[in-house]
Amino acid sequence: MNQFALMKLTYPQYPKVPTGPRRTLLALAVFFFLVLVVWLLGIIYVYFHTGAEWGIPPAFAGNTLSLHTPPAKWEQLQPELGEAPDEYLQSEIEAAYLEAWQALNYAYREKDNAIWKDHFAESLWPELDSLLSQQQAFQVEQADLSHHLYLYAFSLDKQLVAFTDKGVLLKKKIAPTTEGEVLYNDLQAADFDVVMTLDDGRWKVRHLRRKTYTPQADGVASIADSVKVRSRQGHFLVGHKPFSPAGINYYPKATPWFDFWQQFDSTVIRQDLALIKELQLNTVRTFVFYELFGGSALQDSMLHKLDTFMDLAAEHDLKVVLTLFDFLPGYAIRYYGSHEKHLRQLLSRYRHHPALLAWDLKNEPDLDFETHGRNTVLDWLAYMAGRARAYDPDHPLTIGWSAAGEATLLKDKLDFISFHYYRTPDSIGIHLSNLRAEIPEKMIMVSEFGLPTYQYWWMPGGHSEEEQARYYQAFLDTVAVHPGTSFISWTLYDFPNLPDNVFGGPFWKTIPQKHYGIIRADGQHKPAAGILSRWDDH
Amino acid sequence: MSKRINMLQAMLKKVHARWLILMITAGWIGCGQNPTALYDTTALSAKLTLTDSIVQAGQKCSISARGAGVPIDSNWLLVWTGTYGDVVFRGQPADSLIVFDVPVLHFQRSGLIQLSLTRAGRVVDKRDLQIVPGPPVAVLESYAGNKTMVAGSRQRAMVMAIPKDTFENVAPAGSSVQFQLRYPGKEAYLEERTLEHLVSGVEIPAGERTGKIIIGVSSERARSSEEAVELTPAWPTQCSLDIDQWFPYADSRQNLVLRTGFIRDAANNLVADGTTVLFTVYEREQLVARYNSFTTGGVARVHIENPDRETDWKIQAQVEGQISSNILRLHFAPYVTELPFVYAAKERAIIAGPLSANLGQLVTDDLRVEVQLRSPHNTYSFSGLTENGFCKISLPFRLTPGVYQCQITAGGLVVNQEIKLP
């Protein structure tokens, strides 16, 4: 007698247990039900354990028109007709005009014609609506990037203004609304004659006419020769003296990444920079986080901290490679204006500083190729590199690629080539030779390299401190036989803690990040520190 | 031959050989395909062709592309970049050309058009097309301001004009714009200006005479609506004060009517209606009253009630706190000439009357009579109004019997007399 028959005898009130195919179906139904329950529980778990990502989501950034306006300047304020407006009116008119451009950009991107009613006179609405309707099959993304305003007329009753906007640069990308390749991607240049009138208390564009482009100078003042840094034939010249960078990436031991700026401690930094100097190094590389520093409007509080850092570096006779735009939320065209404002403010402020060695435009942008699109990222880099050159022609510019294989990208726009290297030292020589063959005239800098030291029985793949020392030895030996090559190692300290908003993911990825330092968390030097300090012996 | 076939068969039996043959075949087929548009470098030699590089608004020109060896298909795009944005047109093959049919609507908006020939996302050629606006027609945009100026002042107004063509494009730079201006009481005159940077304009100085400056603007066949700027009087520079009507007795009933002379500005313009004039009244160097009035036709008037007792007034007018008139000095004599009164014990009242006025007539009704009774210890005050020349003032029973000094005042006349209350 089987167990089911026994059950039936003992509990006759229970229904008959299915057998055969029906039992199989029942089992499958139960299985899938359990899968569904587990899946739902997983969703709930992930929902409550997912924090906000760092940076403003692009959808929000587009809602504030003035947030992404580009740099603009009144080049001429004495009109031929009427009287010059006072400062308040100048800024009002300028702001209204730039917002009109943002409204146009937004309307084309979002296919929303409601926004331009506050920025354009009613007589223009039919034309703008017609243009928008003709763009229905296309996705147009555009950003205005430069405005130089020349006032022609300002009426005596302060109701009408006419000016010419020269040297306007428009970055445009057109793609089909449905899936498809980009149809058009170009940087346009033109001048515009503009008439604006005061309607219902708002300055609105009443007439606009496109005309031939007039190039405009950026008007960058010269700086003292002693602080200029040039890159020549694989070497740097600081003033007129040759300089070979030998450096380290720097965060304080207890406050890496965002905490470095948010819990800025000049006493700790002073001690650390003195330590770096004792290690016979001459360069530090550090990071300016785009959002943390205020985006397009840099915060004074953050700038003062960066001032202090640069001053401390100068005090210790150390040069600084400033890496920009770290943790950048996006590369879309509509952000170009605000990114350029950020770039201009930083470069204008620090190009005079004696501690500045070079600008690293972006840290590991190749890692963003997959998320943001390779061409989109490269377009952004090409544009920003051009602007960086214009805002500071007196310091070398590079891009810190994550891999040697990408290091030749945009090489013609850069003064020196840099990449990061975390593989075995055996192949670094091959990469350096290949790069040198392709780029014979520019310095090559390995701006991050290193080996983590950890040894946990439950986590294979770690390295001892001796292995790290041998790694550094081999690396420095290789660099020494490749002229025109410099280095910045990763990093000074082991970090007891890592910020969650920088390193998410499984522990086997985050644990090594704590142990790249050449100095332990307790302050004791690892053998690699001694190797590095003798870099000049090679 | 058969030996070779056997060898071939033996080789094909080996799996790796089959895969090798398959890969080679696939590669051959792949290499044999026509290159994709993205990598077709011959496409880079295509050039845009325009029948005209400068056209007037509303006139089309033909746009095509050609080039040696370029593929003639519909994968070519023309990006038309105008003043406000971009439109994309797909090319159509036509014989050895790629033709772009751009609707005439796009040729109506003037300005510099950038034409970009693209293929597979790459810009192959660029050309500029200048669309020139037509001559000015229809209604000309005009803006006049400030709308009001003070006559004879250094103020200036301005008229800005924007002539447009049939398609609402601003007229070509260099277009002539005529401003005709007519000041009050003067002949019209012409100011000619040139259109630059989308606008033209003329400054209008303030004239001497009040009134309207009428302005008309034209440019070829375009006309503006009439514009006007008002010239208002300037600050007053002269003001006099005269009497219109005066009853020189303190009857507190008749009105003193004063009037300013014509108040004018430095250019002899009457001040604007509604100009405030302040009349101040002093009585024995004490300010007793202020009256605001407003001008009509350059003159302000004020009506002031006569005082109730004999007094001297000094009156002056001031225009908007700026200028003052001459001072009028007026004496008001007592209105009542006789003021008899008795104490009527039966009625316990003081009966004053008959009160006579300056012409021997009875005083008018409702003239105020005031009585003051003074004893060594107290002073009591009472009042009443006249009727038919008499005034009866009842005394309250709380008054203690005794002798009182009685003073009666009416119409500026004061009489004292002793009375005895039983």
Side-chain angles (χ1 to χ4, degrees):
Chain A
M1 184 181 290
N2 63 28
Q3 59 182 353
F4 294 112
L6 183 62
M7 271 184 65
K8 195 175 171 187
L9 276 176
T10 313
Y11 305 103
Q13 70 273 24
Y14 280 96
K16 188 178 176 182
V17 176
T19 57
R22 280 192 286 177
R23 182 163 62 178
T24 307
L25 281 173
L26 180 65
L28 281 172
V30 169
F31 172 75
F32 284 117
F33 175 75
L34 288 173
V35 165
L36 183 66
V37 168
V38 169
W39 179 69
L40 285 173
L41 287 173
I43 288 175
I44 294 168
Y45 177 83
V46 167
Y47 176 79
F48 283 109
H49 281 79
T50 302
E53 288 183 46
W54 183 257
I56 300 172
F60 281 102
N63 287 346
T64 308
L65 289 182
S66 59
L67 197 61
H68 299 299
T69 54
K73 189 181 172 194
W74 283 102
E75 302 285 358
Q76 178 184 298
L77 276 163
Q78 205 52 243
E80 290 184 34
L81 274 179
E83 283 178 346
D86 59 32
E87 265 190 51
Y88 174 76
L89 277 172
Q90 288 169 30
S91 60
E92 254 209 344
I93 293 167
E94 179 188 320
Y97 176 63
L98 295 180
E99 283 190 16
W101 274 105
Q102 293 299 310
L104 209 57
N105 302 341
Y106 177 86
Y108 292 148
R109 185 175 69 246
E110 303 295 333
K111 309 232 181 282
D112 176 6
N113 68 349
I115 193 167
W116 53 45
K117 289 180 166 60
D118 283 338
H119 305 278
F120 292 89
E122 194 171 341
S123 56
L124 293 179
W125 297 351
E127 164 123 18
L128 295 171
D129 288 341
S130 169
L131 186 60
L132 197 63
S133 70
Q134 290 173 71
Q135 291 180 350
Q136 287 303 314
F138 305 99
Q139 186 61 39
V140 177
E141 179 136 17
Q142 78 172 27
D144 52 306
L145 300 173
S146 168
H147 298 280
H148 299 260
L149 309 180
Y150 291 77
L151 183 65
Y152 173 70
F154 188 62
S155 68
L156 296 177
D157 62 353
K158 300 176 175 45
Q159 303 282 308
L160 184 146
V161 64
F163 55 90
T164 302
D165 185 3
K166 294 189 181 180
V168 180
L169 298 177
L170 293 165
K171 176 71 178 169
K172 289 195 188 181
K173 196 192 300 189
I174 302 175
T177 308
T178 53
E179 286 289 320
E181 300 248 334
V182 169
L183 301 173
Y184 175 80
N185 186 356
D186 203 10
L187 187 67
Q188 298 175 349
D191 289 0
F192 289 86
D193 277 335
V194 187
V195 173
M196 298 182 78
T197 51
L198 193 62
D199 283 347
D200 295 330
R202 300 181 76 113
W203 285 97
K204 297 184 183 179
V205 174
R206 185 164 286 273
H207 294 285
L208 194 65
R209 180 183 285 166
R210 192 169 184 274
K211 48 189 215 177
T212 307
Y213 172 68
T214 311
Q216 300 292 298
D218 285 298
V220 173
S222 60
I223 61 173
D225 277 350
S226 59
V227 298
K228 287 184 186 177
V229 181
R230 284 159 290 173
S231 181
R232 294 278 187 274
Q233 297 298 325
H235 295 91
F236 281 163
L237 288 172
V238 176
H240 298 287
K241 295 180 186 173
F243 182 85
S244 293
I248 197 152
N249 284 275
Y250 172 66
Y251 283 129
K253 174 176 46 180
T255 55
W257 278 276
F258 300 118
D259 289 344
F260 173 35
W261 298 112
Q262 288 173 316
Q263 299 173 40
F264 190 82
D265 188 336
S266 59
T267 307
V268 168
I269 295 167
R270 184 188 298 276
Q271 290 167 356
D272 288 343
L273 294 180
L275 182 57
I276 292 171
K277 192 67 182 173
E278 284 170 13
L279 290 172
Q280 308 302 314
L281 299 172
N282 59 26
T283 303
V284 291
R285 179 171 177 256
T286 195
F287 300 80
V288 177
F289 303 110
Y290 177 73
E291 292 287 344
L292 186 65
F293 270 68
S296 63
L298 290 167
Q299 296 175 14
D300 283 342
S301 58
M302 302 307 291
L303 289 173
H304 290 148
K305 292 175 185 176
L306 185 53
D307 291 345
T308 302
F309 179 80
M310 297 293 282
D311 291 343
L312 287 172
E315 196 180 298
H316 291 85
D317 199 25
L318 290 168
K319 292 295 185 187
V320 178
V321 174
L322 276 178
T323 305
L324 308 177
F325 291 110
D326 212 12
F327 291 92
L328 189 67
Y331 296 85
I333 286 173
R334 62 183 173 270
Y335 304 135
Y336 276 40
S338 49
H339 293 171
E340 184 171 345
K341 281 200 280 197
H342 177 97
L343 182 72
R344 183 181 67 165
Q345 288 171 80
L346 279 175
L347 268 60
S348 304
R349 188 180 182 98
Y350 294 105
R351 59 189 290 260
H352 304 272
H353 203 286
L356 180 67
L357 178 67
W359 299 104
D360 185 345
L361 184 62
K362 182 74 180 75
N363 185 54
E364 300 184 344
D366 45 327
L367 297 182
D368 294 331
F369 284 169
E370 194 175 327
T371 311
H372 296 281
R374 182 186 177 90
N375 289 336
T376 301
V377 174
L378 288 176
D379 267 354
W380 183 94
L381 288 167
Y383 179 77
M384 291 302 161
R387 300 316 297 148
R389 175 94 60 219
Y391 292 132
D392 185 5
D394 298 310
H395 289 87
L397 180 71
T398 191
I399 295 170
W401 302 102
S402 75
E406 308 285 14
T408 57
L409 290 171
L410 301 176
K411 62 179 193 275
D412 295 330
K413 294 189 180 294
L414 305 173
D415 297 301
F416 67 103
I417 308 304
S418 64
F419 65 95
H420 305 163
Y421 189 82
Y422 290 101
R423 299 186 177 185
T424 64
D426 304 344
S427 51
I428 181 67
I430 299 169
H431 289 297
L432 290 175
S433 297
N434 289 342
L435 282 172
R436 181 56 68 211
E438 194 164 343
I439 312 168
E441 74 287 0
K442 296 184 180 178
M443 172 185 282
I444 298 171
M445 177 186 283
V446 186
S447 50
E448 284 184 26
F449 72 94
L451 194 73
T453 57
Y454 63 92
Q455 287 182 308
Y456 303 114
W457 64 268
W458 42 267
M459 192 169 150
H463 306 279
S464 66
E465 291 182 1
E466 287 68 32
E467 281 180 279
Q468 186 192 54
R470 286 195 291 274
Y471 176 95
Y472 270 74
Q473 186 71 61
F475 182 89
L476 292 174
D477 289 343
T478 306
V479 166
V481 299
H482 284 83
T485 305
S486 57
F487 64 86
I488 300 180
S489 96
W490 183 276
T491 180
L492 183 66
Y493 284 113
D494 283 352
F495 301 123
N497 299 298
L498 293 177
D500 290 334
N501 50 7
V502 174
F503 293 103
F507 65 88
W508 55 86
K509 288 188 178 177
T510 58
I511 283 180
Q513 297 295 334
K514 291 184 177 182
H515 298 287
Y516 273 93
I518 59 171
I519 299 175
R520 296 181 212 122
D522 61 7
Q524 296 297 312
H525 290 209
K526 300 180 188 177
I531 302 293
L532 193 61
S533 67
R534 293 190 293 275
W535 68 272
D536 211 12
D537 295 346
H538 292 79
Chain B
M1 186 66 178
S2 60
K3 196 178 175 182
R4 286 185 184 149
I5 292 171
N6 288 337
M7 279 175 65
L8 187 62
Q9 284 175 332
M11 191 177 74
L12 284 173
K13 283 180 184 170
K14 294 180 182 173
V15 175
H16 69 269
R18 293 178 212 165
W19 280 111
L20 191 62
I21 292 167
L22 186 64
M23 280 193 299
I24 291 169
T25 309
W28 174 75
I29 293 170
C31 291
Q33 297 298 315
N34 286 330
T36 63
L38 187 63
Y39 300 104
D40 180 5
T41 54
T42 59
L44 299 178
S45 64
K47 295 289 176 202
L48 273 171
T49 308
L50 313 177
T51 50
D52 294 287
S53 59
I54 301 175
V55 296
Q56 191 163 78
Q59 292 177 352
K60 272 187 75 161
C61 72
S62 297
I63 304 171
S64 59
R66 65 171 73 194
V70 304
I72 306 296
D73 55 30
S74 56
N75 288 324
W76 294 93
L77 296 176
L78 178 74
V79 178
W80 173 289
T81 302
T83 293
Y84 296 103
D86 310 86
V87 185
V88 181
F89 299 99
R90 189 167 289 280
Q92 298 300 323
D95 296 329
S96 59
L97 296 176
I98 304 121
V99 174
F100 297 97
D101 184 21
V102 177
V104 69
L105 171 73
H106 296 279
F107 290 89
Q108 291 175 356
R109 175 60 61 194
S110 67
L112 184 69
I113 309 298
Q114 180 179 291
L115 303 172
S116 302
L117 179 68
T118 75
R119 185 176 176 92
R122 188 164 176 179
V123 177
V124 174
D125 191 26
K126 292 183 192 179
R127 289 288 299 275
D128 283 343
L129 169 66
Q130 183 73 47
I131 299 179
V132 177
V137 295
V139 179
L140 189 154
E141 270 183 49
S142 60
Y143 304 87
N146 298 328
K147 291 294 188 186
T148 309
M149 288 192 288
V150 176
S153 68
R154 289 187 193 171
Q155 292 177 344
R156 293 166 299 149
M158 205 165 172
V159 176
M160 306 285 269
I162 304 177
K164 296 179 290 187
D165 69 3
T166 309
F167 302 107
E168 298 286 308
N169 298 308
V170 178
S175 297
S176 175
V177 182
Q178 291 81 40
F179 296 83
Q180 300 245 24
L181 301 100
R182 187 176 173 282
Y183 279 74
K186 291 191 177 176
E187 294 293 317
Y189 68 95
L190 174 69
E191 293 262 10
E192 195 154 340
R193 296 286 186 273
T194 307
L195 185 73
E196 300 291 343
H197 301 280
L198 306 182
V199 297
S200 63
V202 67
E203 287 191 15
I204 306 172
E208 294 288 325
R209 285 184 60 173
T210 54
K212 271 189 186 176
I213 305 172
I214 307 293
I215 305 134
V217 189
S218 61
S219 177
E220 293 192 35
R221 287 184 295 151
R223 301 284 182 270
S224 74
S225 50
E226 183 178 281
E227 297 282 358
V229 176
E230 185 89 27
L231 284 168
T232 63
W235 296 115
T237 57
Q238 42 177 300
C239 174
S240 63
L241 183 61
D242 289 318
I243 299 170
D244 252 4
Q245 178 184 302
W246 180 29
F247 185 69
Y249 294 96
D251 65 349
S252 71
R253 187 174 68 89
Q254 302 289 345
N255 281 343
L256 168 67
V257 181
L258 301 176
R259 133 181 96 73
T260 65
F262 288 105
I263 304 174
R264 298 177 182 274
D265 65 12
N268 212 33
N269 298 304
L270 290 175
V271 295
D273 286 353
T275 300
T276 309
V277 178
L278 179 67
F279 296 86
T280 53
V281 180
Y282 289 87
E283 185 176 309
R284 298 193 179 103
E285 308 307 319
Q286 294 290 320
L287 176 68
V288 294
R290 273 188 177 146
Y291 301 94
N292 261 336
S293 184
F294 304 96
T295 60
T296 305
V299 174
R301 286 185 170 75
V302 69
H303 293 230
I304 304 173
E305 192 179 82
N306 280 2
D308 62 356
R309 71 200 70 192
E310 181 185 10
T311 188
D312 292 301
W313 278 2
K314 193 170 76 173
I315 306 171
Q316 187 179 41
Q318 205 173 37
V319 185
E320 303 221 320
Q322 298 290 319
I323 58 163
S324 300
S325 70
N326 51 300
I327 296 173
L328 293 179
R329 296 176 196 281
L330 304 175
H331 174 74
F332 289 88
Y335 173 56
V336 176
T337 55
E338 287 178 19
L339 181 52
F341 71 92
V342 294
Y343 170 67
K346 236 188 213 177
E347 295 169 79
R348 203 175 169 77
I350 288 176
I351 299 175
L355 279 73
S356 303
N358 59 310
L359 297 177
Q361 78 279 28
L362 285 175
V363 299
T364 54
D365 287 351
D366 295 330
L367 178 70
R368 191 171 187 82
V369 177
E370 291 178 354
V371 171
Q372 199 178 72
L373 294 178
R374 288 192 302 272
S375 72
H377 305 291
N378 289 305
T379 300
Y380 304 92
S381 295
F382 310 97
S383 65
L385 299 173
T386 58
E387 187 180 347
N388 294 325
F390 286 83
C391 177
K392 179 180 171 185
I393 299 171
S394 298
L395 300 178
F397 285 96
R398 60 184 166 85
L399 286 178
T400 56
V403 175
Y404 290 86
Q405 290 298 322
C406 177
Q407 181 184 73
I408 290 189
T409 307
L413 188 62
V414 181
V415 175
N416 290 290
Q417 190 175 306
E418 194 176 86
I419 63 170
K420 185 177 177 184
L421 293 182

